[in-house]
Amino acid sequence: QLQLVESGGGLVQPGGSLRLSCTGSGRPLDPYAIGWFRQVPGKEREAVSCVETSNSRFYIADSVKGRFTISRDNFKNTVNLQMNNLKPEDTAVYYCAANSDRIVSAQAMCTPTYLQWDAWGQGTQVTVSS
């Protein structure tokens, strides 16, 4: 059974950078599409970025476009979310999720109506504050 663990969160000043990693255990991650999501207490979960399986096509939400980058490292069995020029509004718990869907596009799976995620991590806190 695939298990996901997020790491790399922490406290950073506005304008700073963090790199989150979603590490898979139990199975390789490359057959899975991976999504990064974030949630603030009292608000709905927001999709940040999703990447498809073998072709690695990806989607980045408008709110983070130009600042965040998603990438795969199959050697380390991770999917990373590089976050640059962080803003206070990026403060949230960040989660990664995996699904084995090979048909749905990265953009389509990064929507609230897509619910076919097979596994979720426990989340990592990102706080952007001076």
Side-chain angles (χ1 to χ4, degrees), residues 31-99:
Y32 292 89
I34 303 294
W36 278 101
F37 300 82
R38 64 188 182 185
Q39 190 165 22
V40 175
K43 293 188 176 182
E44 291 188 357
R45 185 178 60 203
E46 175 189 15
V48 177
S49 183
C50 295
V51 60
E52 297 174 19
T53 55
S54 58
N55 58 33
S56 290
R57 280 195 294 257
F58 61 89
Y59 167 82
I60 299 282
D62 288 342
S63 57
V64 302
K65 193 171 292 182
R67 301 187 296 121
F68 289 15
T69 304
I70 191 169
S71 63
R72 289 184 175 271
D73 186 337
N74 291 334
F75 181 76
K76 294 183 178 179
N77 206 33
T78 63
V79 175
N80 299 315
L81 185 69
Q82 178 67 41
M83 307 187 297
N84 298 327
N85 191 22
L86 283 160
K87 303 176 181 181
E89 52 264 41
D90 295 318
T91 296
V93 178
Y94 284 71
Y95 301 88
C96 66
N99 76 72

